[in-house]
Amino acid sequence: MKKALPSIISATVIAASMLAGCGTKAGSTSDNMESESTATPADELISRLQWLTDSGLVAYGHHDDVAYGHNWAYIPDSSDVKNVAGDYPAILDWDLGLIEWNTEKQLDGVPFDFIRDQAAKHNAKGGINSFSWHLRNPVTKGDSWDISESDVIAQIMTPGSELNDTIRLWIGRAADFIGSIRDTDGNRVPVIFRPWHEHSGNWFWWDLGHNSPENLVALWHLTREIFDQKGIDNVVWAYSPDKIRSEEQYLSGYPGDEYVDILGSDVYYWNGENGPERFAQHIDNNLGIATKLAKERGKLVALTETGSEGVKPDTWYSEILLPAIANYPICYATAWRNANVNEKPEHFYAPYPGHASAPDFVKFHDNPRTAFLNEMKKQK
Ligand code: BMA
């Protein structure tokens, strides 16, 4: 049944798809002529994302999907999404939090070796991997949500300071990990990386509630400088503010077209958001602006994080999410994690078997607009 060019997708989406994301790769910031003539792993992933856009498909992503779920952990080949829909997500989303401290496991307990291994396997099947990074606060030594001090970026960007050495070391560790994800032939596996996410909010130490846009841009530039110095060529860079109200706000903290491939947005259905209309409005604000800018700048568009905690109402996926994104040429939409029931019983964003939203999620999977792993295999 799935999926030639989906007939339900409006002409607007297809037209917008053709315009948005012409696949202009954020160029290397170093003067490396060779990188201009040779296709990198990142270029290859951009082509796959462009294929999704051009086909009017939205790849479904789920955070930590194959590591653990609502009531299981580290069972080989398990996945709440697969156990409900019979198909893995197209995108495995991961977080690098604590890589900066060189620990064995990331902040939610997933071993980095496990992530490296699963990411390579998923890529070999035609799937895609994406990464966020909830890193510690280098000044207070608290976590990402420690906003007890303002202007942390100003402090860590002072050249020659101990804190500047620290942030360089931390970014270097993130780069080394991403660069170490390899296929069985030893080639780097391309991934999407979206550092400094949700910077338009007021809850992370790097966000614009606590830092100037200029300093955030400088931090982005430093990030790229370090990745480029290490020759990391397998990153597709995503920019992902939280809810915004204007184009100006969307672009506040934007590092520049040479630094970004995907214009993303994190938009959640928090506590019902006063109903589906309000959520649709937020999506319209964010994805409307991202789509317009992507057309102008030749970038891809994505819903980099979304979800309704506890998947409420039961028909959230097919009756709230799908209509909200109907007119936008996003290449993927990623839902956050299904925490273990013993840890956070209500903290899940995809159904698990037996959950009341499971039948609706199957509908969402079967909808011609969505792509799960089986769909990605066709492209491979
Ligand atoms: C949050 C929650 C936390 C988690 C953090 C980082 O949204 O899921 O439980 O530790 O993300 O993954």
Side-chain angles (χ1 to χ4, degrees):
M1 265 173 41
K2 292 168 85 182
K3 280 167 190 176
L5 251 190
S7 53
I8 55 141
I9 296 175
S10 67
T12 340
V13 173
I14 302 296
S17 310
M18 300 302 178
L19 286 167
C22 312
T24 312
K25 169 81 179 112
S28 162
T29 53
S30 66
D31 286 327
N32 184 350
M33 294 306 287
E34 238 176 68
S35 68
E36 283 181 20
S37 53
T38 319
T40 63
D43 295 330
E44 185 267 321
L45 178 50
I46 286 188
S47 305
R48 280 197 274 157
L49 294 166
Q50 189 65 51
W51 167 78
L52 286 162
T53 306
D54 293 346
S55 311
L57 291 169
V58 179
Y60 176 73
H62 188 219
H63 191 73
D64 285 351
D65 184 81
V66 293
Y68 57 83
H70 183 68
N71 49 19
W72 59 274
Y74 304 98
I75 299 177
D77 303 322
S78 199
S79 147
D80 281 344
V81 165
K82 197 257 307 190
N83 294 341
V84 167
D87 198 354
Y88 290 98
I91 298 192
L92 295 185
D93 191 56
W94 308 100
D95 195 272
L96 291 178
L98 285 183
I99 195 82
E100 66 278 10
W101 282 4
N102 209 13
T103 57
E104 271 176 33
K105 295 178 179 179
Q106 55 82 277
L107 81 170
D108 294 313
V110 186
F112 285 110
D113 285 348
F114 178 90
I115 296 177
R116 186 189 292 109
D117 184 52
Q118 294 295 319
K121 286 183 174 141
H122 191 63
N123 187 73
K125 293 177 193 154
I128 294 171
N129 294 276
S130 55
F131 286 87
S132 52
W133 188 17
H134 286 93
L135 71 165
R136 308 286 301 190
N137 183 322
V139 169
T140 64
K141 316 225 177 341
D143 61 22
S144 289
W145 296 267
D146 182 350
I147 48 174
S148 55
E149 279 213 37
S150 282
D151 283 318
V152 165
I153 303 179
Q155 296 187 54
I156 62 178
M157 290 303 287
T158 308
S161 66
E162 206 176 302
L163 284 169
N164 190 246
D165 290 347
T166 300
I167 194 66
R168 284 172 181 271
L169 176 73
W170 287 9
I171 294 170
R173 284 176 173 158
D176 289 342
F177 178 76
I178 286 180
S180 76
I181 307 172
R182 307 265 174 162
D183 65 19
T184 46
D185 296 328
N187 301 312
R188 285 205 177 104
V189 167
V191 304
I192 297 164
F193 183 38
R194 50 183 193 100
W196 322 121
H197 69 297
E198 297 176 8
H199 64 271
S200 60
N202 200 17
W203 48 87
F204 289 138
W205 63 255
W206 58 84
D207 68 31
L208 298 184
H210 304 90
N211 298 275
S212 72
E214 294 73 27
N215 284 337
L216 179 61
V217 168
L219 182 58
W220 257 97
H221 291 179
L222 177 69
T223 309
R224 274 302 297 273
E225 185 190 311
I226 292 171
F227 273 66
D228 286 348
Q229 273 166 4
K230 287 179 176 277
I232 307 298
D233 60 358
N234 56 327
V235 175
V236 171
W237 296 88
Y239 176 74
S240 54
D242 200 82
K243 292 188 203 92
I244 45 87
R245 284 186 207 86
S246 64
E247 186 173 318
E248 192 191 356
Q249 194 189 357
Y250 187 91
L251 288 174
S252 185
Y254 183 65
D257 290 345
E258 330 76 279
Y259 295 86
V260 171
D261 301 298
I262 299 174
L263 297 183
S265 281
D266 288 10
V267 183
Y268 279 85
Y269 190 74
W270 283 126
N271 300 321
E273 291 282 17
N274 309 319
E277 296 76 22
R278 191 94 185 91
F279 176 68
Q281 246 171 40
H282 284 307
I283 292 276
D284 285 341
N285 279 350
N286 274 64
L287 294 185
I289 289 167
T291 301
K292 173 182 176 276
L293 292 169
K295 281 183 209 169
E296 292 167 3
R297 295 156 189 250
K299 303 293 177 190
L300 295 151
V301 191
L303 185 54
T304 35
E305 268 185 54
T306 190
S308 170
E309 193 177 34
V311 199
K312 289 176 191 155
D314 300 341
T315 52
W316 186 78
Y317 272 96
S318 77
E319 293 184 9
I320 296 179
L321 178 62
L322 268 182
I325 60 175
N327 291 322
Y328 300 105
I330 54 173
C331 50
Y332 70 92
T334 289
W336 202 242
R337 68 197 194 103
N338 281 15
N340 202 266
V341 67
N342 301 318
E343 183 205 344
K344 288 183 165 186
E346 294 304 316
H347 194 59
F348 57 90
Y349 293 87
Y352 51 85
H355 186 259
S357 70
D360 179 73
F361 191 75
V362 174
K363 266 201 209 165
F364 174 78
H365 168 271
D366 293 344
N367 189 287
R369 185 86 204 272
T370 59
F372 284 61
L373 185 59
N374 284 338
E375 193 66 26
M376 304 299 287
K377 285 179 186 161
K378 289 187 200 161
Q379 201 249 344
K380 247 311 220 208

